[in-house]
Amino acid sequence: MGVLVVGSVAFDSVKTPEREANDAIGGSATYFSAAASFYAPVDVIAVVGNDFPLESLDFLRERQVDISGLEIKEGKTFRWAGEYAADMNDRRTIDTQLNVFSGFKPVLTDRHRAHDHVFLANLDPDLQREVLSQADRPGIVACDTMDFWISGNRASLLSTLSRVDVLIINDQEALQLVDDNNLVRASERILELGPRAVVVKRGAHGATLCTRDAWYGIPSYPVTSVVDPTGAGDTFAGGFMGYLAQSGDRGVGALKRAMVHGSVMASFNVEDFSVRRLVSLTEEEIADRHARFLEMITP
Ligand code: AMP
């Protein structure tokens, strides 16, 4: 089974207290597909401008990610800039330029439509729904979002959420979405918006799963050197959805195991700027870290 993802392919400018990178390769679909490709075949739907160096995505092609659904449009690629505080869990968006994403109309091929796992990565919720409406009865649909859309396109986001099975969101955004200050309550309130499961990513503090009858939490894999957390949420989602597609299982037990895989993938991504760590990552490293993590979290 494979995964279809729609999301951003971007130029990111990132500032951490120690270092900074400008116009690095990023985007929610880029990080997601790199991570998910270690588990299952991945197809990407996105758009870039004619200023984008396509060879920078060669590492995805080498991992058999199908990027034939990446449209190249006259104009500028999506750009995002963010800054991290000394506590790397605290991030501020400095700039978002939608560029070629405004006016983008995704068109799915028969191959895209046939995927039974669909991930609506962080993107304009109108576009997320556009892709969903073209997919043939997908078995599991998960989605992510960000403060930009929660405050800027809320009604559309709520409409997307009413049609997804799993929302994968970070802690600050979960609280913002339902205007609450308690994560347990916020997760329960998000279930009322439509999803049957809510996964809240809490940066270095781990992740929680909330369904109507289950609650589950894991720590994050301990990483001593966090260089750049950008894309951690997307790589988490890639490991999560990739595992679900690989296993073909949709039960609560599978969702819990998927969280462990998501955490492992995110832990690699934060070790270097941009997608650098994902480019060098091997299956052996993933298997080794996954085994260590299981040992750590199993009493
Ligand atoms: P994460 O750190 O997992 O939340 O994801 C960060 C990635 O999301 C960056 O590579 C950005 O290019 C991308 N991104 C940031 N803001 C948006 C947005 N409003 N829409 C789509 N993608 C975005």
Side-chain angles (χ1 to χ4, degrees):
M1 284 193 228
V3 187
L4 176 69
V5 56
V6 59
S8 55
V9 173
F11 284 127
D12 286 350
S13 294
V14 174
K15 205 168 165 192
T16 70
E18 312 236 310
R19 282 150 75 179
E20 108 176 58
N22 288 312
D23 292 344
I25 300 305
S28 55
T30 314
Y31 283 109
F32 175 91
S33 51
S37 70
F38 283 93
Y39 296 84
V42 184
D43 278 44
V44 181
I45 306 277
V47 61
V48 289
N50 51 2
D51 56 350
F52 192 82
L54 289 172
E55 65 281 4
S56 61
L57 299 181
D58 281 351
F59 78 104
L60 292 180
R61 284 201 199 87
E62 281 159 24
R63 296 217 44 76
Q64 318 303 325
V65 173
D66 189 321
I67 58 168
S68 57
L70 178 71
E71 194 179 312
I72 300 146
K73 249 172 71 171
E74 184 74 30
K76 284 187 178 171
T77 296
F78 175 89
R79 279 189 142 76
W80 174 80
E83 183 171 6
Y84 292 87
D87 166 4
M88 296 274 234
N89 288 322
D90 184 3
R91 175 172 80 188
R92 193 168 66 88
T93 290
I94 297 169
D95 189 27
T96 303
Q97 294 174 26
L98 298 178
N99 296 333
V100 288
F101 267 105
S102 13
F104 173 54
K105 268 262 167 220
V107 179
L108 272 59
T109 61
D110 287 348
R111 180 193 150 92
H112 294 141
R113 270 190 251 278
H115 280 297
D116 56 2
H117 289 71
V118 175
F119 186 65
L120 310 172
N122 180 24
L123 192 67
D124 184 335
D126 290 349
L127 290 177
Q128 291 180 320
R129 268 196 327 287
E130 179 62 47
V131 166
L132 199 50
S133 63
Q134 292 179 47
D136 287 343
R137 306 169 58 81
I140 185 154
V141 180
C143 104
D144 186 8
T145 194
M146 215 173 169
D147 49 359
F148 187 81
W149 305 111
I150 297 172
S151 52
N153 212 350
R154 190 180 176 80
S156 172
L157 176 62
L158 292 179
S159 174
T160 296
L161 289 181
S162 70
R163 298 179 54 188
V164 307
D165 301 295
V166 186
L167 174 65
I168 305 176
I169 191 168
N170 82 25
D171 43 8
Q172 290 169 13
E173 287 148 2
L175 297 175
Q176 185 191 358
L177 179 60
V178 288
D179 192 19
D180 209 315
N181 55 13
N182 176 296
L183 267 182
V184 180
R185 203 167 46 216
S187 303
E188 288 172 356
R189 289 181 54 200
I190 291 171
L191 292 180
E192 290 164 18
L193 302 177
R196 70 173 170 97
V198 180
V199 175
V200 177
K201 301 160 289 180
R202 302 180 53 228
H205 308 298
T208 57
L209 168 76
C210 177
T211 70
R212 279 177 189 88
D213 21 55
W215 181 265
Y216 179 64
I218 52 171
S220 62
Y221 182 87
V223 175
T224 44
S225 162
V226 177
V227 174
D228 174 14
T230 308
D234 308 309
T235 44
F236 179 102
F240 183 93
M241 284 298 276
Y243 170 76
L244 290 182
Q246 186 190 62
S247 70
D249 189 342
R250 292 173 202 156
V252 174
L255 296 181
K256 293 177 182 175
R257 290 191 293 280
M259 288 174 66
V260 174
H261 286 279
S263 300
V264 167
M265 295 312 289
S267 75
F268 284 112
N269 185 61
V270 302
E271 291 176 344
D272 207 342
F273 265 107
S274 180
V275 292
R276 289 218 288 248
R277 187 65 181 93
L278 299 174
V279 174
S280 67
L281 191 58
T282 65
E283 284 177 14
E284 292 68 32
E285 287 177 307
I286 297 170
D288 182 55
R289 191 169 286 189
H290 180 255
R292 277 169 197 264
F293 194 35
L294 278 183
E295 221 177 276
M296 285 175 196
I297 62 178
T298 311

